[in-house]
Amino acid sequence: MRNKFLICYIVFFGLYTSFYSQRKNIRFENISIDNGLSQNSVVSICQDRKGFLWFGTYDGLNRYDGYKFKVFKNIQGDTSSLSNNLIWKIYEDHLGNIWVGTDGGLNEYNSGKESFRRFNENPNRPFNISSNKIRDIFEDKSGVLWVGTENGLNEYNRKNNSFKIYKNNPTNNSSISSNVIRIIFEDNRGNLWIGTDNGLNLFDRQKEKFYRYTHDNSNPNSISENIVYSICEDSNGFLWVGTRSGGLNRF
């Protein structure tokens, strides 16, 4: 019994010492404009399948290979350059394409030419993207690309480079609850969730109907606030919803 106790003590002490040593060795390395980053406000990060890290800032798109930065910015008069320098979202789809959402339109990166194809709003063309202010980009399990903007939800058709737009209709309670889209998320059951400036929406893609979850002062079990910034699903199937100032919600 004494030997067993001694062995347990040695194992525990070894694990504790190892954990404590690891904690002591944790450190953060700061990478800033002094190292070649175009701007210090980093709002989106993506690692592509080639291993490059992409950083979206308030002043340019940055590609990092672990040693140096390649900076992409808007060049006036060059339509193959980035459409705008304020980057909100970077996303890689299943084909390896890099999509960049900016304050001046959606961009698809051409790695061979290191150039961009732009998608911009045009009131005279109904199948263009609904707004230049891009807030989120997401690809669902079936390979459909969704783009959230400040003026509607956009479903991208790759075959003809067009967008199907979903907007709020005040007379239709089955429409999306707000045109300002903050976050797009698909859960493990294939449900598509949309976080907006007026609640959480569950989108039935077959019926093209939105089911709204909004704050109700008279219902303590309703969502705590209507401005939804983030959505995540845990291993138990619970949906976690982060709001602007109403805290965290478990659905």
Side-chain angles (χ1 to χ4, degrees), residues 43-44 56-57 82-84 86-91 99-108 132-137 147-148:
V43 293
S44 183
T57 75
L82 195 66
S83 63
N84 187 274
L86 177 49
I87 315 298
W88 287 111
K89 183 71 177 184
I90 310 167
Y91 191 89
W99 296 87
V100 185
T102 76
D103 235 26
L106 178 68
N107 298 256
E108 183 184 15
N132 282 336
K133 295 185 181 297
I134 313 298
R135 292 297 173 259
D136 198 26
I137 305 168
V147 183

Side-chain angles (χ1 to χ4, degrees), residues 30-247:
N30 178 250
I31 299 174
S32 68
I33 56 174
D34 296 331
N35 308 101
L37 189 69
S38 65
Q39 207 264 348
N40 282 337
S41 297
V42 180
V43 293
S44 183
I45 302 173
C46 174
Q47 184 173 28
D48 66 25
R49 61 186 61 189
K50 296 177 182 177
F52 290 116
L53 281 167
W54 295 82
F55 303 99
T57 75
Y58 284 175
D59 189 28
L61 175 69
N62 298 252
R63 189 185 68 197
Y64 186 56
D65 62 6
Y67 301 96
K68 62 184 182 301
F69 287 96
K70 168 80 174 179
V71 178
F72 300 91
K73 285 190 177 186
N74 174 260
I75 301 172
Q76 192 171 5
D78 183 357
T79 56
S80 66
S81 68
L82 195 66
S83 63
N84 187 274
N85 291 332
L86 177 49
I87 315 298
W88 287 111
K89 183 71 177 184
I90 310 167
Y91 191 89
E92 182 183 31
D93 66 19
H94 76 284
L95 298 171
N97 300 317
I98 302 293
W99 296 87
V100 185
T102 76
D103 235 26
L106 178 68
N107 298 256
E108 183 184 15
Y109 174 66
N110 184 321
S111 59
K113 297 180 179 179
E114 293 199 330
S115 63
F116 297 87
R117 178 169 61 154
R118 301 176 181 180
F119 298 87
N120 293 102
E121 65 175 312
N122 185 339
N124 299 319
R125 299 186 65 185
F127 298 106
N128 276 32
I129 199 164
S130 62
S131 171
N132 282 336
K133 295 185 181 297
I134 313 298
R135 292 297 173 259
D136 198 26
I137 305 168
F138 181 83
E139 184 182 49
D140 66 23
K141 293 181 178 67
S142 62
V144 175
L145 196 74
W146 299 86
V147 183
T149 75
E150 286 202 355
N151 190 29
L153 175 68
N154 296 253
E155 179 183 359
Y156 178 54
N157 186 321
R158 296 178 190 271
K159 292 180 180 179
N160 57 20
N161 293 318
S162 66
F163 294 88
K164 185 171 185 177
I165 301 168
Y166 300 90
K167 285 189 178 184
N168 172 256
N169 182 347
T171 63
N172 181 3
N173 289 331
S174 294
S175 67
I176 196 165
S177 60
S178 170
N179 288 332
V180 181
I181 314 300
R182 298 287 180 184
I183 182 76
I184 307 166
F185 178 80
E186 186 178 28
D187 66 25
N188 287 329
R189 292 175 290 278
N191 298 314
L192 196 67
W193 298 88
I194 316 296
T196 76
D197 267 14
N198 188 33
L200 178 68
N201 293 252
L202 171 61
F203 185 36
D204 186 325
R205 282 164 281 188
Q206 279 68 46
K207 297 179 180 178
E208 294 193 341
K209 292 176 62 176
F210 293 86
Y211 298 91
R212 305 174 181 180
Y213 299 87
T214 55
H215 176 68
D216 181 355
N217 286 328
S218 64
N219 181 4
N221 292 319
S222 68
I223 194 168
S224 61
E225 194 204 0
N226 283 332
I227 299 180
V228 175
Y229 277 166
S230 57
I231 308 170
C232 182
E233 183 181 21
D234 66 22
S235 58
N236 295 315
F238 287 113
L239 210 64
W240 294 85
V241 182
T243 65
R244 181 186 61 175
S245 58

